[in-house]
Structure formats: C-alpha cells, structure tokens
Amino acid sequence: MIKTAVILAAGMGSRIRDRSEGRPKGFLTIEGKPLIEHSIEKLLEAGIENIYIGTGYKKEEYERLTQKYTQISCINNPDYNTSGSMFTLYQMESYVQDDFLLLESDLLYEKKALQTILSNKQPDTILASELTRSGDEVFIEVDKNQNLIKMSKKSNELNSVYAELVGISKLSLPTFKTLCKKGSQMFQSSKDLHYEDGLVQIAKEVDLYVQNVRNLVWCEVDDEKHLQRAVSLIAPLIKARESCYPVERKILLNPGPATTTDTVKHAQLVADICPREQDFGETMTFVSHALTEFVGNPNEYSTILFGGSGTAAVESILSSVVDKEAIVIVNNGAYGKRMLKIATVYGLNVLEYRSPLESAIDLTKLELLIKNAGVTISHLVIVHCETTTGLLNNIEAVGNICKKYNVAMIVDAMSSYGAIPIEMKRMNISYLAASSNKNLQGMAGVSFVIANNEQLDKIKEIKPRNLYLNLYEQYEHFVKTKQMRFTPPVQTLYALQQAILETQWEGIEKRYNRYSKSWQTLLKGIKALGLTHLIDEANHSRIITSIVEPSHKGYDFNKLHDFLYERGFTIYPGKIDNLNTFRVANIGDITYKDMECFLTLLDQYLNG
C-alpha cells in the first residue's frame, strides 16, 4: 500500500504570477482553497501518510503548511531558478525510502484519479486521460503493452498520440533509484530538465505503464486561460461528482427524456430559492449564454428560455416571428406535421412541402416551390433530425437555398442540438428550437429558442398572438431583468446547468462520436438478428433508429416493451402510418456497452 507522496512545487509560475499575487502557483485559490491544499487533503483521504514537497520559489509559503499538516516535509531545491522539475525530484533521493505517488503542484483533480492509480497493480504507472485540448498539454506515445515510449508537448514529435499526461504517477523505489541515477548523468549537460524527460529516458529499460482513464475530470493551471477553465468548469464538475451518491440506473432508449448522470439528478437537490433572486438570475444567464455558445456567437445570437416541452419553443417561434407573408413548412415526419398543425391553429399562410419519410429531401423541387410560389415567402421551417424515423435533413443545403431567396430559416433541432455539430451562421439558421432533455442529457421541462439578434429586432412590432409564448417579450424581459416573465422550473434549470457543464467537458463532437459508436453497435446487432431499419446510413442521424417490426407470430410490441422494461431498458413505439416499427434511440448517458446489453435482451425475447 502506497503511503508516501511527492509534490513538485519549486517552479516560479511566471505565466500566472500576477494572479497568484507573487506566491507560488500552488496557492492559487479555487473554491476558497489553494490548489496545493486540494491535493494534500485528497492524498490524506486516500491513505497517504507522508508528503514531501519539493520547494524553491517562495519556499517559506510551503513551509508554513507544515504547521497545519504534520504529514508534510519540505525539501528545497536551491537551484530552482536555473533548474527544472527533474532536479527538484532528484533532491528527494535521500528522503524517499519506499514506493510513492509523484504529483505536480498545479493540478486540480477528482478523487477518482488517486483511487484509480492506487488500485492499479502495476508497480510503475503514469496516469493519463483523453485529450483535453486545454493548451500546453503533454502528449504520450506508448507501445503495444501500453508502456511509455515518449512524451512531448508537440504531438508531431510522436509517431502516434495515445493519451495526455495528467501529472500523477506511481513509482516504485527501484525505479526511482534508476531515475535518479539517470538524472545525475543528464545533469552533466543541463539541470533545466522536466521530470518527464527523465521518465522517457528510463522507459528504455523500465516498463512504465500508462493508464488512460476515460472521463477523468482534472486540469493543470499554468496560465489565465487554465485558471478560468478551472474555476468555471473543472471545479464545479468535481464538486458535483464528489458530493453525489449512486441512483438506480435505467437505460432509456426512447428519444428523450434521455438517461442522465447521477450528478445531473443531484443538481436538483438544492436549497429553495425564489427565482427572482439575483443568484438565480445568474444561473439562468449562464444557461442562456452557454446554450448560445454551442451553436453561435453570443454577440450575434441569443437564447430565450421557456418552461415547457420542446413543442413550446417551436410554437413560440411560429406564433411570434411570422407576420402576413407566407411560410414553407417541410413535412417529412410527425414533427413536420405537428408544425403544420401549429401554423394552422394560428392562421398562418402556409405552403407545405411534403417529402417522403424515409429519404432525403429533393432540394431541386424545394427550390422550385420557393421560386415559383407567386407570393412573398418570409420563412422556411424544417426539422433537422426527424424523430419519427431518424432521418437527418440537410439543413446546410436548405439554408443556402434560403439565403439565395432571402428567406429566414427556422430549425426544429430537438433531436440534434447538443450532439450533431451545428453552426447557425454558416448554416444560415435564423431561429433554432431545442430542449433540455435530449442530447444535453438534462431533465425535461426547459425548452429554448436560439435566435439571430437582427431577426429578433425585426419582430418586435408584430402583434402578439399569445401571452406566455411571445418570443420577443420573453427575450426583451430577460435582457432587462435576467428573469423569465413567468415562474421558471427552478430545479430543472439547476439540472440543466450541470448538464451544460458536462456537455462542455465532453465536447459535442466527442459526444456525437460516442452516440455514433452505440448506433453502429445497434445496426450491427439488429442485422445479426435479421431485422431491418428504415433510413439508409447515408441519411441517418445516428441519433434514433426506426426498426421494422419482425413478422413472426411470437412478436408483440407491448410484450417486448414490458420484457425490456422489467430488465431496466425502455424503448418507444413507431410513429409511421401504415408501417409497423419501433424506435431505439442511442442518446443520453449510455455507451455501446449498454447497447450490447440491449441487443442481448432483444435476442432473448425474439429467439429465447
């Protein structure tokens, strides 16, 4: 059992010294506590009994910590201003007498990091993570056994990038002795060496296992950008993860609400607050700004929040932005059909463009409809991912047509936003509607409209057709007060705030890649079971799959649903007239492993 830790803290932290007020950067404060103390307290909780801190710049700051933590000993590197972290580590040779953890002083990390490396049976382990793209990363190359070959801040110096260095390692005493011996040789040329340089040198004679930990929340703090990321993203994620307990997990394969993380569920457990308080206004401001940033520049676009399902956002747009001109609504599924119904309720002048449910839109015919309409068309309305079938409409191509004819495009992005990358400006989207409970992996109850600010300014004189869903009044009120006009779903917005942080952490492209792997697993599995899906792969959203029901007499959807539900999985019936289908979504906090479990159960039902 590891009982010793070494923290390298001699550096001057010149890139962020202004923010540390001249103190070592380990004393940068996050969540009311210095970085170094976050690390010390996690180490002690993990069972570490002796902590050696390699000091240099402002060594007295670290020495004061020995009065608070009796487990600490400070070892000074007298040449800190002309040497690197390898020379600081070298100072520990006569003090460290057993296996130990090696850490950098500028890290913020969750407990999982220590738990993972301490439980690894390899005597020498380097903790690594997926690429964070946070800047100043150290990239790692490994061999076929996941042992270290090389590390570099320049990825092009490696033959391949396996992972990113976290800055936490586990070294056995024999390996440390080898490292010190190698260091004494290297110092004959220069003392200005990083400890990573020493590890790379001894990797030629010692196996240094690289443990790549998926979804590990951590960061280093080297500059102002790192600090802002630590404060706004990493610290809140760590706090949420370390303060929640496991909740019974259900796998929702219906197209929303989706399976959520425990941290999103627990985000709702907050003290009661009046939503008119400034603190809650700041929460809604964060949510609104972050939702905009996923798809556009907040200086050009704004997010307007509503309490309600996604249909509320769509209805808000249709009832608020269309005046007397005609609009085109693309109908190639149940949700295009629903928008037609909304438009009819409000008495809008609608031209329907009907397209087959299972195939791509004929762009030539759509353009001809707009060109030859004989009336002024102000808007075109389209669903991005049609939840009826899983068909992905080419909104960028449609947006180009709209730009050609000066038509504003309205996009229902309920089943695409937060997974499929969207750029509103490039795609010529004027208004986008989405909700909290699908790819954002939040709770149901918040819908929102993201609108081009210039387009919003044009609608303020349109006579309101309703009260609650009037888009401009909701927008104007929020700009002035940072409040919704009517009572918002408070706890749901706290959950959405947490879901946004987790989306920022994972990244939309990575999330879509995760979803796509589950989708590929699903398609391979249903093919093996003799089943077929409706939409060809070229036009598939990779979000939801409409599966043609099997024809054998033992099949019944309701019985299949109940069979799966009793085993923790939920599927959804089809929504296509004259064709028997059921739908399987692959969104939410699930992986391809969950899809494999579903396929096993489906096989049991069909063939058991």
Side-chain angles (χ1 to χ4, degrees):
M1 179 67 182
I2 302 289
K3 296 294 183 181
T4 301
V6 171
I7 302 176
L8 302 176
M12 300 174 68
S14 56
R15 284 183 285 173
I16 200 167
R17 197 178 303 167
D18 290 345
R19 290 301 301 271
S20 62
E21 299 178 346
R23 305 175 76 190
K25 62 180 176 178
F27 289 89
L28 287 164
T29 300
I30 309 285
E31 294 274 319
K33 187 185 301 181
L35 271 175
I36 190 72
E37 290 198 55
H38 280 282
S39 199
I40 289 168
E41 292 179 4
K42 282 185 168 67
L43 288 167
L44 296 176
E45 186 178 342
I48 299 299
E49 298 176 356
N50 300 298
I51 301 174
Y52 295 99
I53 301 180
T55 64
Y57 175 69
K58 294 288 183 77
K59 64 178 183 177
E60 62 275 9
E61 298 282 358
Y62 287 107
E63 288 169 353
R64 290 191 189 100
L65 290 175
T66 62
Q67 300 172 22
K68 183 176 181 179
Y69 303 98
T70 59
Q71 300 90 344
I72 291 177
S73 300
C74 292
I75 313 300
N76 184 47
N77 172 7
D79 299 326
Y80 71 88
N81 59 341
T82 59
S83 65
S85 59
M86 181 64 207
F87 195 69
T88 301
L89 180 57
Y90 182 70
Q91 307 306 306
M92 305 286 176
E93 185 175 18
S94 61
Y95 296 91
V96 175
Q97 298 301 319
D98 50 16
D99 302 347
F100 65 99
L101 292 182
L102 175 64
L103 301 92
E104 299 172 19
S105 65
D106 58 356
L107 298 177
L108 184 64
Y109 54 88
E110 60 177 319
K111 296 175 184 177
K112 175 182 173 182
L114 297 181
Q115 294 165 351
T116 301
I117 197 166
L118 287 171
S119 62
N120 190 298
K121 295 181 179 179
Q122 299 287 342
D124 300 292
T125 305
I126 296 171
L127 197 68
S129 75
E130 300 162 304
L131 302 185
T132 64
R133 294 180 173 84
S134 58
D136 205 39
E137 308 98 320
V138 174
F139 303 104
I140 301 176
E141 179 184 349
V142 299
D143 64 19
K144 63 181 181 180
N145 297 315
Q146 289 181 228
N147 292 321
L148 176 68
I149 293 178
K150 191 174 182 180
M151 288 189 278
S152 176
K153 289 189 176 183
K154 298 178 180 179
S155 59
N156 60 5
E157 292 183 350
L158 308 182
N159 292 319
S160 62
V161 174
Y162 173 66
E164 179 179 336
L165 180 71
V166 171
I168 302 175
S169 302
K170 180 176 64 173
L171 298 180
S172 64
L173 185 59
T175 295
F176 180 50
K177 295 297 184 182
T178 300
L179 182 61
C180 289
K181 182 179 179 180
K182 181 65 67 174
S184 65
Q185 299 169 1
M186 296 166 68
F187 298 145
Q188 293 177 18
S189 301
S190 173
K191 293 181 181 179
D192 189 16
L193 298 169
H194 300 295
Y195 78 93
E196 298 100 312
D197 299 324
L199 291 176
V200 169
Q201 288 299 314
I202 67 168
K204 299 170 184 176
E205 50 191 285
V206 177
D207 287 342
L208 299 175
Y209 182 78
V210 178
Q211 186 171 13
N212 189 353
V213 184
R214 179 185 175 273
N215 197 25
L216 178 69
V217 177
W218 72 280
C219 69
E220 65 172 349
V221 184
D222 277 330
D223 54 31
E224 180 66 28
K225 182 181 176 182
H226 286 173
L227 180 60
Q228 291 303 318
R229 183 169 179 267
V231 171
S232 64
L233 179 62
I234 304 303
L237 286 173
I238 291 173
K239 184 177 180 180
R241 287 188 174 202
E242 294 184 350
S243 63
C244 77
Y245 54 83
V247 179
E248 181 185 5
R249 188 165 184 261
K250 299 285 189 180
I251 308 299
L252 302 184
L253 301 181
N254 51 283
T259 299
T260 58
T261 60
D262 287 346
T263 42
V264 166
K265 296 180 183 74
H266 278 271
Q268 300 173 101
L269 302 177
V270 292
D272 293 328
I273 187 171
C274 173
R276 304 305 175 196
E277 293 294 332
Q278 180 180 343
D279 286 356
F280 192 70
E282 291 172 358
T283 296
M284 289 195 293
T285 300
F286 166 81
V287 167
S288 176
H289 188 269
L291 293 174
T292 306
E293 283 191 315
F294 284 137
V295 294
N297 185 337
N299 294 323
E300 301 177 68
Y301 298 86
S302 297
T303 295
I304 302 95
L305 301 169
F306 290 95
S309 70
T311 301
V314 174
E315 184 168 338
S316 172
I317 298 173
L318 290 175
S319 64
S320 301
V321 310
V322 181
D323 198 1
K324 298 176 182 178
E325 298 86 0
I327 64 171
V328 173
I329 295 181
V330 176
N331 177 10
N332 60 349
Y335 295 89
K337 186 176 181 181
R338 181 177 295 179
M339 293 192 295
L340 280 168
K341 187 172 183 179
I342 293 170
T344 300
V345 168
Y346 286 101
L348 305 182
N349 183 6
V350 177
L351 299 176
E352 177 185 1
Y353 178 76
R354 183 171 294 182
S355 180
L357 275 66
E358 71 280 1
S359 57
I361 294 171
D362 187 323
L363 297 171
T364 302
K365 288 183 178 179
L366 177 62
E367 182 173 358
L368 285 173
L369 172 66
I370 296 171
K371 182 178 180 180
N372 301 323
V375 295
T376 301
I377 296 173
S378 62
H379 297 81
L380 179 143
V381 191
I382 187 170
V383 176
H384 190 193
C385 169
E386 180 48 77
T387 316
T388 313
T389 58
L391 177 70
L392 187 68
N393 288 320
N394 187 346
I395 57 171
E396 185 168 1
V398 174
N400 288 333
I401 294 173
C402 289
K403 182 182 293 185
K404 182 177 179 180
Y405 294 95
N406 196 30
V407 172
M409 185 165 67
I410 298 168
V411 175
D412 173 344
M414 296 300 159
S415 293
S416 59
Y417 178 92
I420 300 173
I422 296 171
E423 295 179 38
M424 289 185 66
K425 187 170 186 176
R426 180 172 61 82
M427 296 176 172
N428 193 38
I429 302 171
S430 296
Y431 298 93
L432 180 148
S435 64
S436 56
N437 59 295
K438 290 182 182 280
N439 305 321
L440 284 172
Q441 302 179 182
M443 297 297 176
V446 177
S447 63
F448 52 92
V449 176
I450 305 177
N452 176 277
N453 291 338
E454 292 181 0
Q455 292 287 338
L456 275 172
D457 193 55
K458 293 178 182 179
I459 68 172
K460 60 183 177 182
E461 302 301 331
I462 296 177
K463 183 180 178 181
R465 293 184 174 94
N466 56 34
L467 178 65
Y468 186 86
L469 294 177
N470 185 269
L471 187 63
Y472 189 81
E473 290 187 5
Q474 188 83 338
Y475 162 72
E476 185 179 45
H477 187 83
F478 189 79
V479 169
K480 291 179 179 178
T481 68
K482 305 305 178 188
Q483 303 288 342
M484 290 191 194
R485 289 179 297 152
F486 306 101
T487 305
V490 175
Q491 283 73 20
T492 305
L493 278 159
Y494 280 122
L496 179 54
Q497 177 179 239
Q498 178 63 29
I500 287 169
L501 290 173
E502 293 176 11
T503 304
Q504 291 173 335
W505 170 249
E506 183 173 19
I508 287 176
E509 289 188 7
K510 283 187 177 180
R511 179 163 293 181
Y512 192 44
N513 289 339
R514 172 166 60 85
Y515 287 179
S516 296
K517 189 169 184 178
S518 293
W519 171 75
Q520 290 161 353
T521 303
L522 173 65
L523 261 57
K524 182 179 178 181
I526 63 173
K527 182 179 180 181
L529 293 172
L531 300 175
T532 59
H533 57 93
L534 193 62
I535 304 299
D536 65 85
E537 295 187 23
N539 296 305
H540 207 293
S541 63
R542 304 188 173 200
I543 295 292
I544 182 168
T545 301
S546 189
I547 300 171
V548 179
E549 293 184 328
S551 57
H552 68 72
K553 62 181 181 179
Y555 171 82
D556 177 87
F557 174 78
N558 290 326
K559 290 181 179 178
L560 172 61
H561 170 275
D562 294 347
F563 174 84
L564 293 168
Y565 188 78
E566 290 167 2
R567 291 157 178 80
F569 288 80
T570 301
I571 61 171
Y572 222 47
K575 294 193 74 167
I576 304 173
D577 296 335
N578 305 318
L579 182 62
N580 294 325
T581 60
F582 65 91
R583 292 177 289 166
V584 175
N586 45 271
I587 63 175
D589 184 41
I590 66 172
T591 70
Y592 74 97
K593 292 289 186 182
D594 296 308
M595 196 60 73
E596 288 175 346
C597 291
F598 161 72
L599 290 164
T600 298
L601 291 172
L602 183 60
D603 184 20
Q604 289 177 12
Y605 174 80
L606 295 175
N607 302 312

